């Protein structure tokens, strides 16, 4: 299946696929797998989703994002040593940036029921969402997709038995709110790209 089909056709609501069911069109997540629910909500929140079958595709799509935004040679904020190679390959400075164009980060988990991304101090140190750059590129894997935020918190507790991270937070809104939308009050919208690597 092509990348285009995976992104745009894999998470159609059940009411579109099967008109015989009595499923409400306002509850598409009921009939979706967890990964499809995440993609549906994430894109609904304004996130940019890019599916990658292997690490080579991650590198290619990362370069495409740099080209699209003219971020070559720009400073980058990155705290994850596992991602430094990606920056070095593209000659992007990331040591003590003074004015980073974007944050490159991994995450703890991807939360399906709200389409959000769960971070901790392991990825963003003690920075609050409004202190992070407006532009963010997240590299994550399909095995990190979980149903609800409580599942994500349980996964963090299990993963870090002793060195428990602090500053656990989610970023959910990826485009500026309309003036009449009060649900985003107090949150800072981010221009976020998700490079989702298949690992299942």
């Amino acid at each position: 299946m092509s990348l285009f089909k995976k992104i745009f056709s894999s998470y159609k609501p059940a009411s579109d696929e099967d008109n015989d069911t009595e499923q409400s069109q306002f509850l598409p997540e009921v009939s979706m797998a967890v990964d499809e629910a995440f993609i549906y909500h994430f894109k609904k929140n304004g996130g940019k989703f890019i599916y990658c079958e292997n690490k080579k595709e991650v590198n290619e799509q990362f370069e495409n994002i740099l080209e699209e935004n003219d971020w070559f040679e720009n400073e980058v904020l990155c705290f994850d040593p596992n991602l430094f190679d990606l920056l070095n390959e593209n000659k992007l400075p990331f040591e003590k940036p003074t004015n980073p164009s974007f944050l490159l980060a991994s995450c703890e988990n991807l939360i399906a029921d709200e389409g959000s991304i769960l971070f901790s101090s392991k990825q963003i140190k003690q920075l609050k969402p409004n202190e992070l750059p407006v532009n963010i590129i997240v590299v994550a894997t399909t095995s990190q997709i979980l149903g609800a935020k409580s599942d994500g918190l349980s996964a963090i507790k299990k993963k870090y038995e002793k060195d428990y991270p602090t500053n656990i937070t989610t970023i959910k809104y990826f485009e500026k709110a309309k003036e009449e939308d009060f649900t985003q009050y107090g949150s800072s919208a981010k221009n976020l790209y998700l490079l989702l690597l298949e690992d299942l």
Side-chain angles (χ1 to χ4, degrees):
M1 182 179 282
S2 73
L3 175 62
F4 182 82
K5 284 184 180 176
K6 271 192 181 290
I7 294 173
F8 295 103
S9 67
S10 65
Y11 54 91
K12 283 185 181 175
S15 56
D16 289 348
E17 294 172 357
D18 184 5
N19 292 327
D20 296 332
T21 62
E22 294 181 14
Q23 173 78 30
S24 168
Q25 64 178 351
F26 300 107
L27 299 172
E29 66 274 15
V30 174
S31 62
M32 293 181 186
V34 175
D35 56 344
E36 293 173 338
F38 170 75
I39 294 165
Y40 173 82
H41 289 111
F42 177 77
K43 288 185 70 68
K44 190 177 177 185
N45 292 343
K48 298 174 183 76
F49 166 80
I50 304 168
Y51 175 84
C52 303
E53 290 187 354
N54 51 53
K55 289 186 177 180
K56 183 183 177 186
E57 281 191 16
V58 170
N59 294 349
E60 289 171 357
Q61 294 297 342
F62 179 69
E63 288 179 19
N64 289 341
I65 294 169
L66 295 179
E67 189 174 347
E68 177 186 329
N69 294 281
D70 196 21
W71 286 339
F72 285 105
E73 300 178 13
N74 289 19
E75 289 184 318
V76 181
L77 183 64
C78 182
F79 302 110
D80 189 340
N82 295 322
L83 299 174
F84 290 170
D85 283 347
L86 202 56
L87 297 172
N88 286 324
E89 284 173 21
N90 291 283
K91 299 177 181 176
L92 294 167
F94 59 91
E95 291 181 14
K96 298 180 180 178
T98 54
N99 187 27
S101 295
F102 65 95
L103 166 72
L104 176 65
S106 56
C107 65
E108 292 295 342
N109 291 106
L110 307 171
I111 309 302
D113 68 352
E114 60 180 26
S116 64
I117 300 183
L118 183 64
F119 294 100
S120 77
S121 56
K122 300 291 182 182
Q123 296 87 38
I124 59 173
K125 300 296 183 187
Q126 297 304 319
L127 297 174
K128 295 174 183 171
N130 63 347
E131 296 172 324
L132 297 172
V134 171
N135 303 302
I136 299 176
I137 302 174
V138 175
V139 180
T141 59
T142 51
S143 63
Q144 290 179 281
I145 300 174
L146 298 176
K149 200 180 290 183
S150 57
D151 300 323
L153 297 174
S154 297
I156 290 173
K157 193 173 182 182
K158 188 176 180 182
K159 182 179 178 183
Y160 305 102
E161 291 180 7
K162 294 180 180 177
D163 187 21
Y164 198 75
T166 56
N167 193 27
I168 297 168
T169 188
T170 57
I171 295 180
K172 180 178 176 182
Y173 300 108
F174 312 117
E175 60 187 1
K176 287 189 177 179
K178 296 173 183 174
E179 286 182 21
E180 66 272 12
D181 187 357
F182 296 104
T183 61
Q184 295 188 30
Y185 181 77
S187 63
S188 55
K190 301 294 180 183
N191 175 36
L192 194 141
Y193 293 85
L194 173 62
L195 295 173
L196 186 63
L197 174 63
E198 178 67 64
D199 70 338
L200 292 174

